[in-house]
Amino acid sequence: MARKLLIVESPAKAKTIGKYLDNEFTVLASFGHVRDLPKKNGSIDVNNDFLPKYQLIAKNQKHVDEILAAAKKADTIFLASDQDREGEAIAWHITEILRDNDLYAGRHIARVTFNEITKPAILEAVAHPRQIDANLVDAQQARLTLDYLIGFNVSPLLWRKIKPGLSAGRVQSPALRLICEREDEIKKFVPEDYFGVHLFSHKERTKFRAKLIEHAGTKIETRTITTEQYAKDIVAGISGLEQAKIRKITKKQKKKNPTAPFITSSLQIEASRQLGFTTDRTMRVAQTLYEGVALGKESVGLITYMRTDSVQLSAIALEEIREYIAANFDARYLPAKANVYTNKSKNAQEAHEAIRPTSILRTPDSVKAYLNADQFKVYELIWRRTLASQISPAVLDTTAIDLELGNTVFRANGVMVNFDGFMKVYQEVIEDTVNEDEEARLPDLIEGEMVPVDSLDITAHQTEPKPRYTEASLVKALEELGIGRPSTYASIIATLKKREYVVMDKKRFVPTEIGAIVSLFLTNHLTKYVDLQFTANLEDTLDNIAIGKSSKLPTLHQFWNELYTLVTEKQNISKMELTSEKLDENCPECGKPLISRFGKYGRFIGCSGYPECNYMRKVDKDGNSEVVAPPEEVEGRVCPKDGGKLLIRTGKFGKFISCANYPKCKHIENMDTPEVENAVSCPECKKGKVIPKKGRFGVFYSCNNYPECKTIFKYEPISASCPECNYPVMMVHTTKTKGTQHICPKCKHSVKV
């Protein structure tokens, strides 16, 4: 009988670890969190020191039952959930569940953590357990409470003022703000023309290009030449000259250092740039590599824990990597001592190692046969980055050649790799940068030498706005600003997409109309909670709680008092104020100002004189608009309720007829309303007729006396009494298996026809 129980988060991890421990151990998985806050208001008691009202997660109930059953047979319980705040919280929740089931007292319960799932790491962790870190648990609960308070107070405000189904989040909303502000910059950007002048020359068979840097003693910067005529005047002054003189040659040698091993954010960034992976895809693949992959008969965790801010490598890992470099590379590639890196992030949580292979000896080629395509790509990326981090710097030879031609000076730049160093193994991909001089090959020249002028060229350019964010550049921006934790970036991006606040265009974020409105509302009315510095400072506060420098309750009280006051103030804002914008344009029909509004079916431009003036233009996603024709009047009929005109309108489900006095009169009918005279009389109100109508789920049948009578039938009704309950109407329903049936809508009795 097993006397020791070890609880991890995932079943894959449990399976791998189970092979490393003796028969005394039972290894079970909690399948992630076991308790959570119910998704309803009141789950945090703000009047009782923010007491959380946790409940068991329904889908994990059976796993909790298995843990409790195993706990009854065990005298020692090891809580081996992940070594971050969430993992510490899971361990705490399990202990609370054990207490609630009288399984805590009399048992030795200990917390164990490990950075990699290898046999030595597991045995070492079990041999040196610790207690649950209350500070980490407080930090996780504070984070959960803050997110809850924002979600259940700001989100309903969005529902009432903008549209149901929207959400706001502590980190999600600042991320959306970044995307929307970049889009605003792009829309407001006014491009400027500038011109470049280049000299083309050669020596023997080597051609090269030089850029104008000086004219008549004036330094020429990138955007100095703003008109084509200015460029032509410069070229005209030197166009008759056939040779240029080498005035100066500057040669330098510089080192290019390797980059640090991966942390969570840098892995997400590089996987996006080099592999085209989304952050979510990257983390899912990395999770499988961490939890364990079957290498033949053995299941092995191939990488260390993938949620980390640390760039440090363990002494054992460094020794193995350096031995590998010495055995497989020329001596120049091994530095005299190990390369050491420091994290630039002020919020770095460096309790873990960097993301690295559990053994550098497991080369990508040696494990390729056991991995799927995604796993291999991510593993190879991590393996190469880790190996490169401990290789010598690359050495680059840079050359700048100044050529004198009349009253102008041109410069040719070249960069040649003298020693590739770490670049032999790994090179970063930098987005949105163009370096025309990189790897340019220049001929051997000497000062005073004359070279031919093959041609002079004028190139036209325009300034460009900053590009839209990709997943990689957004993660990089969030990290640099100190917003959120790297482990949350994938879920943040997933939420922005799920809420349809953003769409992807050529792998770049474009805010949707609703996303822009939500961001504008939060920025204008709840400014503090999307302020980038405030959000970053809040992360610092959570970090301080985690290390015991701050306390949870004072932080929550201050946050809640400010949030509650602000949300209460904003309840009186009108929806019109949030979703409309006055335009510098008057209505062509009545002369009143036009308003751009966000309605139920998207953005439109309408007259401020509505309903007296019905002028309206639809606006598409590109901002183009077209006039919407005014509703057509139904001839020969008036509204049966108030005698007003009947108009043919177009809605979400097509054309329909409604009263011109809407919203005072809400009479509405389908365009293809059948002859009412021969329709079935309503069995409930005895006044109306049951007629077919179109809804979002297709045709249904209802009383035309709506809304006074709300009788609805799913299928076509007929005048036939039910043989069971004598209800005066039955429905006609046809199925393939049973044929045509008459079904009573009241007692559900059916009669086959």
Side-chain angles (χ1 to χ4, degrees), residues 161-294:
K161 302 303 181 183
I162 301 178
K163 178 184 174 183
L166 303 179
S167 72
R170 181 177 56 88
V171 181
Q172 162 200 323
S173 298
L176 177 61
R177 179 182 179 180
L178 285 175
I179 294 169
C180 291
E181 287 183 346
R182 177 61 58 87
E183 192 68 18
D184 289 342
E185 288 178 29
I186 293 170
K187 288 179 179 178
K188 294 175 182 176
F189 183 81
V190 179
E192 297 177 1
D193 294 329
Y194 67 96
F195 297 83
V197 180
H198 291 87
L199 179 154
F200 289 85
S201 183
H202 72 279
K203 182 177 181 181
E204 297 175 347
R205 299 179 65 180
T206 304
K207 297 180 180 180
F208 63 97
R209 184 181 73 163
K211 180 181 178 181
L212 179 68
I213 63 167
E214 186 180 316
H215 173 247
T218 301
K219 190 175 182 180
I220 303 295
E221 303 285 357
T222 302
R223 297 185 214 170
T224 300
I225 305 174
T226 56
T227 65
E228 187 176 13
Q229 188 58 50
Y230 184 11
K232 287 181 177 179
D233 291 343
I234 293 173
V235 171
I238 55 176
S239 59
L241 303 175
E242 297 181 354
Q243 287 189 316
K245 180 181 179 181
I246 306 300
R247 188 168 82 170
K248 183 181 179 183
I249 298 176
T250 305
K251 291 186 177 182
K252 293 181 180 178
Q253 195 173 80
K254 67 176 183 180
K255 288 184 178 181
K256 185 176 182 180
N257 293 315
T259 44
F262 280 132
I263 59 174
T264 305
S265 56
S266 58
L267 173 61
Q268 292 172 350
I269 290 168
E270 284 299 289
S272 175
R273 291 172 175 173
Q274 298 203 32
L275 307 179
F277 284 13
T278 62
T279 52
D280 180 60
R281 183 179 176 185
T282 300
M283 295 307 289
R284 280 189 283 109
V285 174
Q287 182 81 32
T288 65
L289 294 174
Y290 166 66
E291 290 179 350
V293 174

Side-chain angles (χ1 to χ4, degrees), residues 371-384:
L371 307 179
N372 62 38
D374 281 5
Q375 288 174 328
F376 176 74
K377 289 175 183 177
V378 173
Y379 181 72
E380 184 180 41
L381 192 68
I382 293 169
W383 188 88
R384 290 186 179 279

Side-chain angles (χ1 to χ4, degrees), residues 358-377:
T358 51
S359 173
I360 204 71
L361 301 179
R362 292 192 191 96
T363 64
D365 288 340
S366 71
V367 298
K368 186 175 183 179
Y370 305 100
L371 307 179
N372 62 38
D374 281 5
Q375 288 174 328
F376 176 74
K377 289 175 183 177

Side-chain angles (χ1 to χ4, degrees), residues 437-617:
D437 301 320
E438 190 73 24
E439 293 298 322
R441 294 184 177 275
L442 299 176
D444 291 328
L445 298 166
I446 59 174
E447 292 182 2
E449 185 176 353
M450 304 298 290
V451 293
V453 177
D454 295 335
S455 64
L456 294 167
D457 181 48
I458 297 173
T459 55
H461 305 275
Q462 269 195 336
T463 54
E464 295 182 352
K466 291 180 180 178
R468 293 181 174 124
Y469 285 107
T470 61
E471 287 204 11
S473 58
L474 181 63
V475 167
K476 192 171 188 297
L478 291 171
E479 182 187 31
E480 289 175 348
L481 291 165
I483 297 173
R485 296 251 63 87
S487 58
T488 66
Y489 294 153
S491 62
I492 292 167
I493 290 170
T495 301
L496 292 176
K497 293 177 180 177
K498 181 181 178 181
R499 297 292 181 188
E500 297 182 351
Y501 289 166
V502 298
V503 293
M504 302 303 289
D505 181 19
K506 298 178 182 177
K507 296 188 176 182
R508 293 183 182 272
F509 290 104
V510 181
T512 60
E513 185 79 36
I514 193 67
I517 288 173
V518 168
S519 182
L520 188 64
F521 165 69
L522 294 173
T523 302
N524 289 343
H525 298 283
L526 287 93
T527 310
K528 182 174 182 177
Y529 301 100
V530 289
D531 179 79
L532 305 181
Q533 191 58 51
F534 170 80
T535 310
N537 290 339
L538 204 54
E539 294 294 344
D540 288 341
T541 302
L542 291 174
D543 289 343
N544 287 334
I545 293 173
I547 60 177
K549 283 188 176 180
S550 297
S551 298
K552 177 179 70 173
L553 288 180
T555 300
L556 294 178
H557 279 295
Q558 180 181 354
F559 181 88
W560 170 241
N561 290 338
E562 294 174 354
L563 178 64
Y564 179 77
T565 302
L566 186 59
V567 170
T568 303
E569 288 176 0
K570 300 302 177 181
Q571 298 290 346
N572 298 323
I573 302 173
S574 69
K575 186 172 181 178
M576 176 74 79
E577 182 183 345
L578 293 175
T579 60
S580 64
E581 177 186 1
K582 286 186 179 180
L583 302 178
D584 293 331
E585 183 182 353
N586 292 328
C587 176
E589 293 187 4
C590 70
K592 292 183 178 179
L594 290 178
I595 296 176
S596 175
R597 290 196 60 192
F598 184 81
K600 192 174 183 180
Y601 307 118
R603 176 68 62 183
F604 68 93
I605 294 172
C607 181
S608 59
Y610 178 83
E612 288 76 17
C613 178
N614 289 320
Y615 177 81
M616 186 174 72
R617 298 202 307 259

Side-chain angles (χ1 to χ4, degrees), residues 263 309 342-350 479 482 485:
I263 59 174
D309 290 342
T342 56
N343 200 310
K344 296 178 182 178
S345 173
K346 64 178 180 179
N347 288 327
Q349 295 177 341
E350 300 198 350
E479 182 187 31
R485 296 251 63 87

